[in-house]
Amino acid sequence: MGKARKNKKATTNPTFKKFNRWFWMALASGIGVVCLLFLLASLELFEKLPTFEELESPESNFATEIISIDGQTLGKYAIENRTPVQFEDLPGHLVEALVATEDERFFSHAGIDFRGTLRAVVKMGKGGGASTITQQLAKLLFHGEGSKNLPKRLLQKINEWIIAIRLERQYTKQEIITMYFNKFDFLYNAIGIRSASRIYFGKEPQDLKVEESAVLVAMLKNPALYNPNRARFKKRAFERRNQVFYQMNRSEFISKKEKDSLQKLPTVLDFSPEGHSHGSATYFREYLRDYMKKWIKTHPKPDGTLHNLYRDGLKIYVTLDARMQKYAEEAVQEHVSNLQRVFFKEQKRNPLAPFYDLTPGRIDTMMTRAMLYTERYRLLKKAGKSKEEIKKAFHTKRRMKIFSWNGTKDTVLSPYDSLRYYKHFLHSGLLSIEPQTGHVKAWVGGINHKYFKYDHVKQGKRQVGSTFKPFVYASAIDQLQMSPCDEYPNTPYTIPKEAYGMEEDWTPRNSGETYGGVLTLKRALAKSVNVVTARLIHSVGPKTVVRLAKKAGISSYVPPYPSIALGTLDASLYDMVGAYAMFANKGLRINQMMVLRIEDRNGSVLQNFTPKTSQVLSEESAYTVLELLKGVTEDGSGVRLRGRWGKYPDSISTGYPYEFKNPIAGKTGTTQNHSDGWFMGVVPNLATGVWTGADDRATHFEEITQGQGATMSLPTWALYMKKCYADSTLVLSQEDFQRPAHIATEFDCSSKASIDDLENVLSEEYTEEETDF
């Protein structure tokens, strides 16, 4: 009884009553201040909050996607490399990993987890953060990085709570998860779950394994500190991934046995960065970028505003086939890297490496001109440096990274020496077209887009050599109704200067100066005999050949002089392959087509594309030219495709003989001083051309054995076609070209006379140097 009175007395103690009153007043005041802050924040007195419309459609930058004809993403144009996915595209284990790791009560709260918040306050943040997935989304959408200033950070947190509640009212839980995955930046230009899946694992999100999903969810805490692609953080990323498995087991998404098994698995990446110089079809994508910029200017939205290539999430469906593009890039890399190795070895014996045919003075002039076009020179000039200071800067050694076929090399060079080093490199282009549709199937503009931006498919125009001869033969066949078995004398031939207003007579030479006897047109083209080609162009007139070349799609200037018969003109690989495709399409030219359709991000078609067509040759004439070109690969400079010449020298290539059995219409081309090597190869449903050479024409192999088209470019074509034929998912013809129903032309020339010893003496090509007229 006395004890009870004592406790009662204590509770009526004035000091206790005063403390009790102040405690409740402080608590009420604190709650009041928090409520007031929430009220003022919701009234936007501190910071403007997103409107209903902004919540409905939060500002996002969606990448424009380039999609191949076989449904693969070739690349993107983006400020943020983000391509949105739907909730249905997310595998269940990815969603489970997210919820288990970031917000266990996600499906039961309304945007704010008060239990988690209370725990964070009591434990001073040591027991884990309190931000829900919805709050994290609010931060990603409308705030970004939090302020380091405590009062400002508190206001940001209050705004996040308000926005999170509004997001919960506006969207379903599934939509919130989807937006969060679409917005998060996983680094390495991997913004959003789809880009992250492709860059880190080379697959679409729905194809992720549970251990791969865990890696990506582990990165959500901090994509830099827990990045599995960074060597110094691999252990930390692995441990964080295993923590995700622990959380999934704790949330009963996986069993303990599954957790233990998954935690033992190594982290296996298939890291494939996506950027302007990474991925597939880099040169094509750069061409397409310029094309799209022009298209956007002439195709505004219904409200008159212009599409944004980097933000609007357009989908560009292109004609390229991802499989064929891959094989083309592999073929160029395999052959040109071998060719480069041989060239470097040869240059060790060249005192003026990598140049021939130039004096030291001309080389200095060339190198000085090359310096003028560099970014380094522009910046030094802009900074007001004198010529002497600029020259000294270019000859001062420094650490730098340079390209090699074995990967990027760290070295010490002067900028001048690095320029000369890059002059050593051989480059190549490959273009593949489907003749019946005009569809471009593969486009390789160079050996490495990061280091060599120049596109040798569309931008580059080089002397075409003997690859132009079929247009001379086509003109004669079409205009004079000639047949493959018609004969011409193989004797020196002169075209007088008066015939075409030339400054002097033109007398082309055969390779090896070998003459005598007569040759059929088929054998003359197979052996690329110059004097027969000269006779033909004089018979039909250069202007007739020029007209045919223009109709076939060669856009370069073609001078109306007889020397074009030997390929003295410059043309792009793009034009040449398009023109050869015409022969395989029965004389009908279908302009090259690269874009099938363009859609907006919602799938609405903005434009469908159809190519232009024009009849260039009769079906009979086109077929006759193909028969002539088949002779090149059966009995001429392209016979290496058949494997008849034995083993290809190991110093140049491996894997020869190629041993193609199917009919192939082809033509090699080698220019003056063998600076350019070409090969054009056509089968019934694919025309492919390859060019190989250096940027400077004075950089070339010393001997024609290595520098001819049959060595420089034919192997790339062969490697590419071998890969394509080996892929059973591709439908490439190995049949003969379709013969016109009523053609009466004779094609079997076995009974006709020819030169018996021509097999050996005309094994290489020669192109007369262009003459000034």
Side-chain angles (χ1 to χ4, degrees), residues 654-672:
T654 57
Y656 188 83
Y658 304 111
E659 297 182 337
F660 287 93
K661 305 298 182 185
N662 55 301
I664 299 169
K667 188 71 189 80
T668 57
T670 309
T671 66
Q672 179 69 15

Side-chain angles (χ1 to χ4, degrees), residues 594-612:
M594 288 151 285
V595 181
L596 293 168
R597 70 181 183 278
I598 301 172
E599 296 180 356
D600 66 18
R601 74 189 228 192
N602 298 316
S604 299
V605 177
L606 302 178
Q607 185 176 355
N608 284 307
F609 293 81
T610 54
K612 295 180 180 179

Side-chain angles (χ1 to χ4, degrees), residues 489-493 508-510 515 529-536 566:
N490 179 44
T491 55
Y493 188 75
R509 305 189 303 270
N510 279 344
Y515 305 97
V529 179
N530 290 340
V531 295
V532 173
T533 312
R535 290 176 183 273
L536 290 176
L566 307 186

Side-chain angles (χ1 to χ4, degrees), residues 370-508:
M371 288 165 50
L372 298 178
Y373 289 101
T374 64
E375 181 68 7
R376 185 184 303 275
Y377 180 88
R378 188 188 70 80
L379 293 175
L380 290 171
K381 189 74 173 176
K382 186 177 180 181
K385 301 296 183 182
S386 66
K387 289 184 178 180
E388 291 73 20
E389 289 173 318
I390 293 175
K391 184 176 181 181
K392 182 179 179 181
F394 268 88
H395 285 83
T396 301
K397 292 187 176 184
R398 62 194 66 207
R399 295 201 64 81
M400 62 176 65
K401 295 179 183 293
I402 59 173
F403 168 80
S404 80
W405 277 108
N406 295 320
T408 301
K409 290 173 57 178
D410 288 308
T411 188
V412 177
L413 283 176
S414 70
Y416 179 91
D417 288 337
S418 71
L419 282 175
R420 190 146 182 169
Y421 167 76
Y422 282 120
K423 292 288 185 182
H424 284 73
F425 278 91
L426 300 172
H427 301 274
S428 191
L430 182 153
L431 185 71
S432 206
I433 296 175
E434 188 175 63
Q436 291 73 27
T437 61
H439 288 180
V440 172
K441 311 302 288 186
W443 177 313
V444 183
I447 58 175
N448 186 295
H449 187 264
K450 181 178 179 180
Y451 290 92
F452 308 101
K453 305 293 186 187
Y454 195 74
D455 180 9
H456 292 284
V457 168
K458 196 75 165 64
Q459 288 178 292
K461 294 184 178 181
R462 297 294 287 256
Q463 199 175 70
V464 297
S466 294
T467 58
F468 190 75
K469 289 179 179 176
F471 301 101
V472 178
Y473 281 72
S475 298
I477 290 166
D478 198 52
Q479 296 293 316
L480 306 177
Q481 304 302 307
M482 301 187 72
S483 80
C485 299
D486 287 341
E487 297 175 326
Y488 270 87
N490 179 44
T491 55
Y493 188 75
T494 297
I495 297 177
K497 60 184 180 181
E498 295 81 12
Y500 304 106
M502 301 181 293
E503 293 184 359
E504 57 184 24
D505 295 344
W506 184 56
T507 306

Side-chain angles (χ1 to χ4, degrees), residues 176-277:
I176 288 170
I177 284 177
T178 305
M179 281 193 287
Y180 180 62
F181 271 129
N182 280 335
K183 183 66 178 176
F184 194 85
D185 185 349
F186 292 86
L187 302 187
Y188 293 107
N189 207 26
I191 301 178
I193 192 64
R194 183 161 186 255
S195 293
S197 300
R198 288 172 51 82
I199 288 174
Y200 286 96
F201 297 107
K203 58 181 65 175
E204 296 296 321
Q206 60 264 35
D207 299 322
L208 289 171
K209 299 176 182 178
V210 62
E211 60 268 28
E212 295 167 340
S213 292
V215 169
L216 296 177
V217 169
M219 293 171 64
L220 298 175
K221 185 173 183 179
N222 188 315
L225 293 179
Y226 300 100
N227 198 298
N229 193 55
R230 294 185 172 181
R232 59 186 292 201
F233 297 138
K234 280 188 176 181
K235 182 179 179 182
R236 185 180 295 175
F238 179 79
E239 292 171 349
R240 179 63 183 170
R241 184 209 68 170
N242 283 354
Q243 179 64 27
V244 173
F245 294 139
Y246 170 82
Q247 291 294 126
M248 292 179 74
N249 171 243
R250 173 179 163 176
S251 298
E252 300 182 351
F253 289 126
I254 59 175
S255 66
K256 185 178 184 302
K257 183 179 179 181
E258 289 174 313
K259 181 206 74 170
D260 293 341
S261 177
L262 289 168
Q263 287 182 334
K264 294 177 183 177
L265 294 176
T267 298
V268 180
L269 301 181
D270 181 9
F271 189 73
S272 305
E274 292 182 355
H276 301 319
S277 295

Side-chain angles (χ1 to χ4, degrees), residues 533-597:
T533 312
R535 290 176 183 273
L536 290 176
I537 198 168
H538 191 37
S539 297
V540 297
K543 290 184 178 180
T544 300
V545 178
V546 171
R547 281 195 295 270
L548 175 64
K550 290 295 182 183
K551 288 173 65 178
I554 296 177
S555 59
S556 303
Y557 173 66
V558 184
Y561 299 113
S563 64
I564 63 172
L566 307 186
T568 55
L569 69 145
D570 288 354
S572 69
L573 182 62
Y574 181 87
D575 285 356
M576 291 298 291
V577 179
Y580 268 73
M582 172 270 298
F583 294 128
N585 195 36
K586 303 178 180 179
L588 178 67
R589 168 169 168 74
I590 300 182
N591 286 13
Q592 293 93 313
M593 182 177 178
M594 288 151 285
V595 181
L596 293 168
R597 70 181 183 278

